[in-house]
Amino acid sequence: MIGTYWQASRAPRYSLLFALPLLIMYQVLTFVVPPGPGGVDVGNGADILLQAVFVWLAGAWGPRIFMLCLIGVGAWLIAKDIRAHPGKLAPAVLGGMLVESLFLSLVFGIVVSGLTVALLGAPPPPLALGGGLAQSRLGHGTMLMLSIGAGLYEELLFRVVLVGLIAWTCRQVLGWRPLLAGIVATVLGALIFSAFHYIGPFGDRLDVYSFVFRTIAGLFFSALYLTRGFGVTAWTHSLYDVLLLLR
């Protein structure tokens, strides 16, 4: 039963359907939350970056085309999986994925913080790990939207797109072996993921401890993506950020 769940929960029909509520919640919140400081619309940085490519290509239609492509590719992957492996959806698998994601989000901070402390020692008392944007400048609704969007779009950008692209380049262009290409892609992806949190008007102040913490977090999420798939990784990331917001 455990082996069946482990394999089934990685399949697109479960992994992508499991991530769908995150997409819906994030998109709804982007419409209802008030603008940020100075009347500026606030969104998850990874979402904005992904949309920017489509805006550059299609102008004002870019965000709509991006969303259509996102839904279309997801639907195609699910349909392809169902054709290859016919069968009904098992609600118990989706329920198990939710429990698993909640458990992983609870232990995530402990494990990553422990590894960071082992490398650098205890952080300064005022430092909040993984907090992201300054909560004093943004409302709770906006922070909730950004927390949900982090799990969805940061995993899509940094794990699916970036790590995959770096690994492909190392294998196909540089001729490296798959194992070496995967290791290099994972490490580079984690470093870029960490640096991403310090960019922009709402980015954090650069700090060695938080940078190392987020780099280790990037390695953790990459390992989770490779072993458990996109859905569990996206929910684990989102739930961790939401729990951090509520503490």
Side-chain angles (χ1 to χ4, degrees):
M1 181 65 181
I2 294 178
T4 302
Y5 165 77
W6 186 271
Q7 183 177 6
S9 56
R10 284 175 47 84
R13 74 178 76 186
Y14 288 105
S15 187
L16 297 180
L17 285 176
F18 186 55
L20 181 60
L22 293 176
L23 177 63
I24 294 173
M25 287 187 288
Y26 175 80
Q27 293 302 134
V28 170
L29 286 171
T30 58
F31 285 106
V32 300
V33 298
V40 178
D41 290 334
V42 178
N44 179 265
D47 173 33
I48 294 173
L49 190 57
L50 286 167
Q51 288 193 38
V53 177
F54 289 83
V55 171
W56 177 69
L57 292 172
W61 283 92
R64 297 179 181 87
I65 296 175
F66 168 68
M67 187 56 57
L68 287 174
C69 289
L70 193 63
I71 295 173
V73 171
W76 175 74
L77 289 171
I78 292 172
K80 182 180 178 182
D81 179 44
I82 292 175
R83 286 196 301 270
H85 308 283
K88 295 182 178 179
L89 284 172
V93 173
L94 294 172
M97 294 170 72
L98 182 59
V99 173
E100 180 185 358
S101 299
L102 180 58
F103 171 77
L104 289 172
S105 69
L106 292 171
V107 302
F108 166 82
I110 298 173
V111 173
V112 177
S113 296
L115 291 173
T116 309
V117 169
L119 287 173
L120 301 178
L127 186 62
L129 294 174
L133 300 176
Q135 296 184 26
S136 60
R137 301 176 63 189
L138 299 170
H140 287 290
T142 302
M143 290 300 299
L144 177 62
M145 178 264 290
L146 294 174
S147 297
I148 293 172
L152 182 67
Y153 287 108
E154 288 181 12
E155 294 311 309
L156 178 61
L157 175 60
F158 293 105
R159 252 56 72 183
V160 178
V161 176
L162 182 63
V163 173
L165 182 60
I166 294 174
W168 181 89
T169 302
C170 290
R171 292 194 311 270
Q172 302 299 324
V173 179
L174 301 179
W176 293 1
R177 294 183 178 180
L179 178 59
L180 177 60
I183 292 173
V184 171
T186 299
V187 173
L188 283 179
L191 290 170
I192 297 172
F193 167 74
S194 182
F196 180 76
H197 290 81
Y198 305 97
I199 299 173
F202 298 110
D204 285 358
R205 178 178 60 84
L206 182 59
D207 177 273
V208 173
Y209 196 96
S210 63
F211 184 86
V212 172
F213 176 89
R214 288 188 171 112
T215 299
I216 296 174
L219 296 173
F220 174 92
F221 285 130
S222 290
L224 190 61
Y225 169 68
L226 291 173
T227 57
R228 300 301 298 121
F230 180 76
V232 169
T233 307
W235 270 91
T236 298
H237 191 160
S238 292
L239 287 172
Y240 171 75
D241 282 10
V242 170
L243 291 172
L244 196 67
L245 175 64
L246 297 176
R247 73 176 184 179

